[in-house]
Amino acid sequence: MDCCGALFLCLCLLAFQNGKAETSEELLQWMVKMEGTKSRRLPSPAQQVHILEQMLLNTSFQGYSLTLRTRTIQSLAFKLGCDFTGLSLSSGILEQVPQAMARHAMQFPAELTQDACRTRPRELRLICVYFVTTDFFQDDDNSSLLNNHVLGAQLSHGHVNNLREPVNISFWHNQSLEGYTMTCVFWKEGASKHYWGTWSPEGCHTEQPSPSQVLCRCDHLTYFAVLMQISAAPVPAELLVPLTYISLVGCSISIVASLLTVLLHFLPRKQSDSMTRIHMNLHASVLLLNISFLLSPVLAMSPVLGSACTALAATLHYALLSSLTWMAIEGFNLYLLLGRVYNIYIRRYVLKLCVLGWGVPALLVLFLLTVKSSVYGPRVISLSDSQENGTGFQNMSVCWVRSPVVHHVLVMGYGGLTSLFNLVVLAWALRALRRLRAREKVPGARACRDTVTVLGLTVLLGTTWALAFFSFGIFLLPQLFLFTIFNSLYGFFLFLWFCSQKYRSEAQAVAEMEAFSSSQMMQ
């Protein structure tokens, strides 16, 4: 089927170049064929779109412009000269089409023909194709587009890129778009393994002059659309600098603290107990998480490192799952220590925990890479930017999970289960500690020490990660700063817990030695 389609495309292109110009009737017939059922033996979607473009570039017509439309496709062609001063198109001519109730518009700057006019061509032609369907532009993520509208433009001279004055594409919706994250994207041909392209935000700036309008300012010509994502309100752009600074400083401190903790653990060169080895595995996972997190936005900004960004996104996801798993293991180990299960012996206890803490996340990530590697890669984050004429958006990219389903199940769901488990363990531990101290009638100094212990257990079990579930409404901004501060410094807090536990164990050892010495002297 692919070979036949490729051969058909070559024959069509050859006919367009060497034969006579096509008529508007033949162009309209081809547009009707494109709307035919999928059972018809037609070329691939990419070949169909390219054939339509070539027919528009070679179709002869009288006058300045040509307009043809079918149920879901509209084609326009314009004859331009070097005296071109700009062009504005509106969807008013689509009023008779039931499927195109929402308006759209395109505005082309005078700069559009400058490069082409340097070669002194006989005639320039601008073609525009409006699709009211996404059948020809399917991507790996099955993206949801505003109104299912795809607006495309092409100049006969060739590719138009890096315009100083952007092309303005406006999309309107019949209802308010509040509660959605809107991102202007273009069709990047050849950027997908399974389809003929994918949607990318590069070179486009998103603005929202009104709740029902999206304005895309792009510096090139191609096919444009608006990507819709149901999410909370975008992060204000003015908070990007402080949050980035906090993350950079906090993660750097945590990396140094985790490395120092591991070094202090191996310096004594003595056999450690199972609890200490569990702590060291948690430190190792947090160390990997912080390092991959700091590298994520750096690789996402480089378009030539696509495979490296995919690998880093998978590593970051693996490090997060490992850290969450080791936090849950810490909670389980705390239950065994403080619960009613005394003198319990589990053969190769730490080895089995390592298989769980490192092996299960690895299997999950490898499974995703095997089934669909495109779930990892550059992830676009929209940042709202208040302007005088409305709300604009800045796009920031990180190497992370791209699939919304995977993000909800294996990020939010996985983190929610581990956080809930550790919160239950923490509440149970606090209750057990309170009963124990009530029996002993603890003085004020010991109560202060217990408070420090509770704070240490809170950090150890990673309960601060539960702040991720409060990113809505009035909690959004406080949650952003609290989550960033606490979790970027998580490795440092673990280091403080490690030092306090080591100091306490040494103090207890000294006290036992002094008690033993005094008993020997009394004898």
Side-chain angles (χ1 to χ4, degrees), residues 189-265:
E189 189 171 349
S192 174
K193 296 180 180 179
H194 306 286
Y195 298 93
W196 70 286
T198 187
W199 294 109
S200 172
E202 299 172 11
C204 290
H205 179 71
T206 307
E207 296 181 8
Q208 210 165 335
S210 68
S212 60
Q213 180 186 0
V214 180
L215 175 61
C216 302
R217 300 182 182 272
C218 303
D219 62 358
H220 55 286
L221 291 185
T222 182
Y223 291 96
F224 303 98
V226 175
L227 187 64
M228 296 181 62
Q229 293 178 330
I230 301 177
S231 64
V235 179
E238 56 270 17
L239 299 182
L240 177 61
V241 174
L243 289 174
T244 302
Y245 181 77
I246 293 173
S247 299
L248 179 62
V249 174
C251 290
S252 301
I253 294 175
S254 293
I255 289 173
V256 175
S258 297
L259 287 173
L260 187 59
T261 304
V262 175
L263 291 176
L264 290 176
H265 169 67

Side-chain angles (χ1 to χ4, degrees), residues 327-476:
M327 292 174 198
I329 291 174
E330 289 280 6
F332 174 74
N333 190 63
L334 179 64
Y335 170 77
L336 293 183
L337 292 175
L338 297 181
R340 296 182 179 180
V341 187
Y342 302 101
N343 301 323
I344 187 172
Y345 173 75
I346 301 178
R347 188 169 180 267
R348 296 181 179 178
Y349 177 55
V350 178
L351 178 60
K352 293 178 180 179
L353 293 181
C354 287
V355 172
L356 177 63
W358 298 107
V360 172
L363 290 177
L364 293 175
V365 173
L366 289 175
F367 175 76
L368 292 176
L369 287 172
T370 303
V371 174
K372 194 175 185 181
S373 60
S374 60
V375 298
Y376 297 113
R379 172 74 179 270
V380 179
I381 300 176
S382 295
L383 304 171
S384 63
D385 186 12
S386 300
Q387 300 177 348
E388 294 181 359
N389 58 346
T391 302
F393 294 93
Q394 299 179 9
N395 294 324
M396 175 184 176
S397 296
V398 294
C399 297
W400 183 230
V401 178
R402 299 177 59 188
S403 171
V405 176
V406 176
H407 183 269
H408 285 108
V409 176
L410 287 182
V411 176
M412 301 302 294
Y414 199 94
L417 290 177
T418 55
S419 297
L420 180 62
F421 173 75
N422 281 352
L423 284 172
V424 172
V425 172
L426 178 63
W428 175 85
L430 294 181
R431 183 180 179 185
L433 186 63
R434 181 180 179 183
R435 288 180 177 179
L436 180 62
R437 297 312 182 195
R439 294 175 184 175
E440 298 179 358
K441 297 181 180 180
V442 184
R446 179 65 65 84
C448 182
R449 187 184 304 173
D450 290 343
T451 302
V452 176
T453 302
V454 170
L455 293 176
L457 291 176
T458 303
V459 172
L460 181 67
L461 299 179
T463 53
T464 55
W465 290 84
L467 289 170
F469 297 94
F470 292 90
S471 56
F472 58 88
I474 61 174
F475 300 102
L476 176 61

Side-chain angles (χ1 to χ4, degrees), residues 126-147:
L126 174 67
I127 62 172
C128 300
V129 184
Y130 301 157
F131 291 94
V132 195
T133 176
T134 59
D135 292 342
F136 301 96
F137 299 92
Q138 295 292 329
D139 62 351
D140 294 328
D141 300 325
N142 195 21
S143 300
S144 177
L145 303 181
L146 178 62
N147 302 321

Side-chain angles (χ1 to χ4, degrees), residues 110-119 164:
E111 182 192 353
L112 192 69
T113 60
Q114 288 183 1
D115 290 340
C117 287
R118 293 191 182 99
T119 61
R164 292 186 299 272

